[in-house]
Amino acid sequence: MKARKVLTQGIVQGVGFRPYVYRLASDLNLKGYVRNLGNVVEIIIEGENTELFIERLPNELPPIAKIDSMIIEDIEAEAYSNFEIIESGDAYSGISVIPPDIAICDKCLEEIRNPNDRRYKYPFNACTDCGPRFTVIESVPYDRVRTTMDEFPLCDECLVEYRQPLNRRYHGEAICCNDCGPQMAFYEGQNKIDCENPIKMGAEVLEKGKILAIKGIGGTHLVVDAYNDEAIKELRSRLNRPNQAFAVMSKDLESVQNYAQTSKKEIRTITSNKRPIVILKKNDNYPFPESLSPGLHNIGVMLPYSPMHYLLFDESDIDTYVMTSANTPGEPMMIKNEDIINGINDYSLIHNRRILNRCDDSVIRFRNNELSFIRRSRGYTPEPYKINYEVNELNVLALGPELDVTFSIAKDDIVYPSQHIGNTNKPKTLEFLKEAIENMQRITKIHDFDMIACDMHPHFFTTRLAHELAEKHDAEVMPVQHHHAHSVALANDSTIDEMIAIAADGVGYGSDGTSWGGEILYTDVKSFERMGHLESQLMPGGDMATKYPARMLASILKDEDLIKNYSNHFKYGEMEIKNIFKQIESGINVGKTSSTGRVLDSMAVALEICDKRTYEGECSMKLESCAYYSTKDIEIQYHIENNILNTTDILRQVVELYQNGEKKADVARAGQIAVAKGLSELAIIAAENKKIENIGATGGVLYNESITDTVKNYIENNGYEFIQHKNTCAGDGSVSLGQAIISKKK
């Protein structure tokens, strides 16, 4: 009798994989067993159809499951009497992963809307095809006892479902019902309100224009009626978030298409079981107040992904709500009930299931019809990346930069990226980072590190943490240049060994000690060479020039009389302008930067679009939105000398065109295109020098669709292959991935 052992690695736990194996083995009349074994699923099969089983196994998987590798070996037959699903073991520590949190499936949705179903209107309905995973798991193997669902013993009816191999709830660790599962509660301020239907109460206060906090799967949202201008402005006031766009959730795709443009790819993404926020362009029928997404041509949109979201819409006539993370800017989301009911909200919808791993909403934007992550988190984390190069044997922890941080853990040729962490210059977020690392270590069973990778910036909190953790693990610290990490994450995404990378963003610590951000790099993954860059400009006041970009405009134009025309964009008018030029002359508290972001911000001031940054990327984003409405082609010349793009000249042309009466939108578009073409030309010069055919583009500036389109077209029209992010973030969310790959490169 033939007997085989099959070890499967990938997304094979918590996704109905074992019941699937049971059904397949039974169909082929095979004997043996299947079980979770640490970070892998072990299958023993005996019978005549073992080869057919191995052939069919990867091709008929459940919706969420994914096999990355199968190790198959012949073994001695034990003459099993049947095929069984047996209890988990913990003897193997191979590479595998828990699936991310998945949106409610159609069958579970149908149940909560069916008055005759025992789970009617139950807000925690789930099965093996949907529901929370990453946010509730403590360690592997993925069994209920190692999740926060362990606090809710199954009732008799749920237990029957849980034990039936052919039931879709078989070993669905998040399953429950109203008799045995988590419960919701409604609070007004700190006072609990007794009611039969807390979600209905929530819908009623939202209709009255109140601010409601809703504790969900991986965190908490602050919610208001998206049509209510007064409620939105009140939310902004309480959050101290005056301008940053709020994301919205609409009840269905039809509602979304009433106010936003949608491509086929955007529709597939927004309706997928991952349910990210997708940045969509507003259409001509856009009905919401300007306060929702001020100064922008687009809006972040998501569809319901949990039972409680659907139930909220079912209880309301409102088809779209603001859904923004319940946290102060830069800090982690609230997940504890005590914090939520003491928050800035009027009312709270909370529940008694612990959130072990907070996980913010993912954010995606399409540029030239290609997907790019702005934030890769819920629905995707902790699904790993594969390193497409020869690797060393080191276990690596990579900590990312300081803002928009993710971390990554690498073992063998696999990298586990974390959920979105945030800005680690905030103490609470730094603590969240430390907790999240410990949680990921438990899940991956990677307890020790040989190397801690970090940014080159000596004063980042993540850099300091790297040295602390290196001492704890007796590990080496590996500083990695910011834009090199960006470009390597991009290269790995497309399996490119060497490339020329355009790295354009707000700031990254350069190897010369200045701020970079408009770079042309040659990289062969392990090393890099700076081949060109934007003109280095002075930053009077350092970070003050980032927050108040009129200071940056003054420095770039180098013309005090010209800048006096913009005196109303300086807090202290002409007196401040005088002091800025004195500061530049003295060189006191004046940094240097080649940042593309600072050039675009200055352009926004020059066109009187935005003169103060209240959130990351605000001025550049508003510049892009202004340019989106351009109706006339204007050309701005750009000049390159010694592999440096002259940005002073570009800004002077912008000012001249604007003062000569050209429309803001037309000049904004022309200015962006000039910068994009200049960067592209620099990259082509470098590619010719290195005899390389691949040119990539990375960094936060590349979220700008017009700039990305211009770069792509310019590079391809000159005969080069253009590489852009597909499965990774163009922004700082991919830096830790790049750091990990560089550290693992053999």
Side-chain angles (χ1 to χ4, degrees):
M1 182 187 298
K2 293 181 180 179
R4 300 279 184 90
K5 176 195 284 188
V6 182
L7 297 177
T8 58
Q9 298 176 322
I11 301 178
V12 290
Q13 297 194 45
V15 293
F17 183 74
R18 287 175 297 167
Y20 159 66
V21 171
Y22 175 90
R23 292 191 296 271
L24 182 58
S26 300
D27 182 53
L28 296 174
N29 198 30
L30 296 172
K31 315 299 182 186
Y33 66 80
V34 59
R35 65 171 172 170
N36 281 340
L37 195 62
N39 269 1
V40 75
V41 170
E42 179 189 51
I43 305 166
I44 302 296
I45 44 174
E46 295 180 351
E48 295 304 315
N49 294 317
T50 57
E51 289 183 13
L52 185 56
F53 174 92
I54 291 166
E55 181 183 327
R56 288 177 58 182
L57 182 65
N59 297 319
E60 302 171 24
L61 293 169
I64 311 172
K66 178 184 176 185
I67 293 177
D68 291 326
S69 70
M70 293 167 54
I71 301 171
I72 303 163
E73 62 178 285
D74 295 325
I75 58 172
E76 291 293 323
E78 297 285 344
Y80 292 100
S81 58
N82 57 14
F83 194 89
E84 292 182 291
I85 300 172
I86 65 173
E87 290 298 313
S88 299
D90 196 18
Y92 190 84
S93 60
I95 296 294
S96 191
V97 72
I98 297 304
D101 300 278
I102 296 297
I104 183 174
C105 68
D106 290 342
K107 290 179 181 177
C108 285
L109 180 58
E110 185 180 340
E111 289 170 346
I112 67 172
R113 287 176 163 171
N114 180 0
N116 299 316
D117 194 280
R118 73 186 188 91
R119 291 185 173 91
Y120 178 56
K121 290 192 175 183
Y122 183 59
F124 299 93
N125 196 19
C127 69
T128 53
D129 292 337
C130 69
R133 302 291 198 282
F134 174 65
T135 53
V136 298
I137 185 172
E138 187 163 3
S139 64
V140 291
Y142 178 57
D143 291 313
R144 197 177 181 98
V145 294
R146 284 176 282 272
T147 72
T148 59
M149 290 302 296
D150 186 45
E151 298 168 14
F152 304 96
L154 292 168
C155 66
D156 290 343
E157 286 185 89
C158 285
L159 197 57
V160 169
E161 296 171 325
Y162 185 81
R163 288 174 172 171
Q164 289 179 340
L166 299 182
N167 192 294
R168 84 173 199 278
R169 289 190 167 88
Y170 176 78
H171 276 267
E173 309 305 353
I175 74 162
C176 52
C177 71
N178 196 52
D179 293 332
C180 63
Q183 300 294 321
M184 299 208 77
F186 184 77
Y187 278 75
E188 180 179 5
Q190 299 175 37
N191 301 316
K192 184 177 180 181
I193 307 297
D194 291 327
C195 57
E196 287 187 10
N197 189 339
I199 292 177
K200 184 177 182 180
M201 292 284 287
E204 289 174 356
V205 299
L206 286 169
E207 288 176 352
K208 294 175 182 177
K210 301 299 182 182
I211 300 172
L212 175 69
I214 301 179
K215 183 183 178 184
I217 291 177
T220 305
H221 284 120
L222 291 174
V223 186
V224 296
D225 176 1
Y227 296 90
N228 191 322
D229 186 37
E230 189 178 331
I232 293 169
K233 287 177 178 174
E234 180 62 23
L235 179 58
R236 289 197 177 284
S237 174
R238 296 189 196 180
L239 275 175
N240 190 26
R241 190 170 149 183
N243 295 309
Q244 189 172 5
F246 286 134
V248 299
M249 178 183 284
S250 290
K251 70 175 183 178
D252 52 32
L253 183 61
E254 184 181 359
S255 299
V256 173
Q257 291 174 326
N258 285 335
Y259 61 84
Q261 304 172 38
T262 53
S263 68
K264 289 181 180 179
K265 286 186 178 181
E266 287 168 337
I267 290 171
R268 277 201 299 271
T269 303
I270 201 171
T271 59
S272 72
N273 62 6
K274 298 178 182 298
R275 289 292 202 279
I277 295 171
V278 179
I279 308 297
L280 301 175
K281 297 182 182 73
K282 300 171 183 176
N283 65 21
D284 293 338
N285 300 317
Y286 184 77
F288 304 120
E290 175 64 15
S291 59
L292 181 61
S293 180
L296 301 180
H297 70 291
N298 47 27
I299 183 171
V301 183
M302 60 181 155
L303 293 177
Y305 55 84
S306 77
M308 66 185 75
H309 293 147
Y310 280 101
L311 294 172
L312 181 68
F313 283 112
D314 289 348
E315 298 288 356
S316 174
D317 293 329
I318 301 171
D319 66 9
T320 303
Y321 291 111
V322 169
M323 286 259 179
T324 192
S325 300
N327 61 283
T328 55
E331 293 193 351
M333 283 188 299
M334 292 184 290
I335 57 174
K336 293 181 179 177
N337 290 345
E338 181 182 355
D339 294 334
I340 297 166
I341 64 175
N342 285 292
I344 63 164
N345 38 294
D346 302 310
Y347 298 89
S348 306
L349 261 176
I350 61 173
H351 57 75
N352 58 341
R353 181 173 69 197
R354 284 188 301 122
I355 297 172
L356 191 63
N357 301 303
R358 51 162 74 81
C359 198
D360 216 329
D361 297 313
S362 293
V363 184
I364 284 171
R365 184 176 183 185
F366 283 81
R367 309 151 307 150
N368 45 60
N369 211 28
E370 291 291 344
L371 181 151
S372 180
F373 283 98
I374 294 176
R375 188 165 71 202
R376 186 184 186 271
S377 202
R378 178 190 51 77
Y380 299 90
T381 300
E383 190 173 342
Y385 292 111
K386 187 176 187 300
I387 301 176
N388 295 310
Y389 310 105
E390 192 176 354
V391 297
N392 56 43
E393 297 179 355
L394 303 178
N395 287 352
V396 174
L397 169 64
L399 295 176
E402 185 164 65
L403 305 181
D404 291 328
V405 164
T406 67
F407 68 87
S408 292
I409 293 178
K411 179 177 182 178
D412 299 335
D413 62 349
I414 296 296
V415 180
Y416 298 94
S418 77
Q419 70 272 49
H420 172 73
I421 302 297
N423 298 348
T424 54
N425 55 7
K426 305 276 187 177
K428 288 183 180 178
T429 308
L430 189 62
E431 284 306 308
F432 170 35
L433 170 62
K434 294 175 183 177
E435 292 168 10
I437 291 169
E438 291 176 0
N439 289 343
M440 190 73 84
Q441 285 183 271
R442 283 197 299 271
I443 293 171
T444 60
K445 291 187 174 291
I446 301 172
H447 301 298
D448 297 308
F449 300 115
D450 305 298
M451 183 171 288
I452 315 292
C454 62
D455 197 272
M456 280 179 59
H457 199 298
H459 301 307
F460 279 178
F461 287 94
T462 46
T463 303
R464 296 175 191 175
L465 179 61
H467 287 275
E468 290 175 22
L469 293 174
E471 190 172 337
K472 176 182 175 182
H473 289 273
D474 192 22
E476 182 184 345
V477 174
M478 172 108 173
V480 177
Q481 201 280 322
H482 183 89
H483 300 101
H484 185 209
H486 267 299
S487 61
V488 168
L490 172 62
N492 188 73
D493 203 9
S494 301
T495 321
I496 302 294
D497 289 326
E498 60 176 359
M499 67 187 295
I500 298 297
I502 299 170
D505 60 6
V507 62
Y509 191 80
S511 52
D512 62 358
T514 67
S515 293
W516 291 3
E519 310 309 310
I520 308 300
L521 303 182
Y522 162 77
T523 178
D524 61 358
V525 181
K526 190 70 176 176
S527 61
F528 76 95
E529 181 183 348
R530 192 187 195 198
M531 304 287 292
H533 56 86
L534 301 192
E535 180 183 2
S536 287
Q537 303 286 2
L538 299 178
M539 292 181 69
D543 287 344
M544 285 288 286
T546 303
K547 186 174 182 180
Y548 300 103
R551 301 174 69 90
M552 202 69 225
L553 179 64
S555 176
I556 293 174
L557 291 180
K558 305 173 181 68
D559 187 330
E560 188 172 345
D561 291 332
L562 184 58
I563 287 297
K564 285 177 182 177
N565 294 326
Y566 292 95
S567 60
N568 59 318
H569 296 286
F570 293 83
K571 189 174 181 180
Y572 302 105
E574 290 191 15
M575 183 191 304
E576 184 178 354
I577 293 171
K578 248 184 214 314
N579 289 334
I580 287 170
F581 279 95
K582 284 180 182 177
Q583 184 177 22
I584 291 171
E585 190 177 344
S586 70
I588 297 172
N589 192 22
V590 176
K592 267 189 172 183
T593 182
S594 57
S595 164
T596 312
R598 300 294 78 80
V599 171
L600 297 176
D601 289 353
S602 300
M603 210 175 284
V605 179
L607 296 172
E608 300 184 291
I609 295 166
C610 181
D611 62 9
K612 182 182 177 183
R613 189 201 71 182
T614 64
Y615 63 86
E616 194 70 29
E618 178 178 3
C619 299
S620 296
M621 289 166 65
K622 288 182 175 177
L623 177 75
E624 178 191 3
S625 289
C626 179
Y628 175 74
Y629 296 103
S630 170
T631 57
K632 176 184 174 183
D633 286 336
I634 298 175
E635 187 173 1
I636 287 178
Q637 300 294 323
Y638 63 89
H639 303 287
I640 293 171
E641 189 173 347
N642 297 325
N643 297 318
I644 296 172
L645 177 65
N646 187 323
T647 49
T648 298
D649 186 51
I650 291 174
L651 260 294
R652 283 178 177 161
Q653 291 179 70
V654 166
V655 171
E656 184 179 342
L657 286 165
Y658 179 52
Q659 291 184 343
N660 287 341
E662 296 287 356
K663 290 182 180 177
K664 287 183 186 182
D666 298 330
V667 183
R669 180 171 176 269
Q672 289 183 154
I673 288 173
V675 172
K677 285 184 175 179
L679 285 167
S680 302
E681 183 69 28
L682 282 171
I684 289 170
I685 293 169
E688 288 175 349
N689 183 287
K690 290 289 186 179
K691 296 181 171 51
I692 290 176
E693 296 179 355
N694 300 308
I695 298 176
T698 185
V701 167
L702 274 301
Y703 288 129
N704 181 308
E705 189 169 17
S706 174
I707 288 177
T708 302
D709 285 349
T710 301
V711 171
K712 178 179 186 293
N713 293 335
Y714 194 95
I715 285 169
E716 290 180 343
N717 289 341
N718 279 274
Y720 292 88
E721 184 176 354
F722 178 67
I723 310 298
Q724 71 181 64
H725 290 270
K726 296 174 183 174
N727 300 307
T728 51
C729 299
D732 281 2
S734 68
V735 169
S736 69
L737 172 63
Q739 291 171 345
I741 294 168
I742 291 165
S743 301
K744 287 287 294 178
K745 181 72 169 68
K746 198 165 187 178

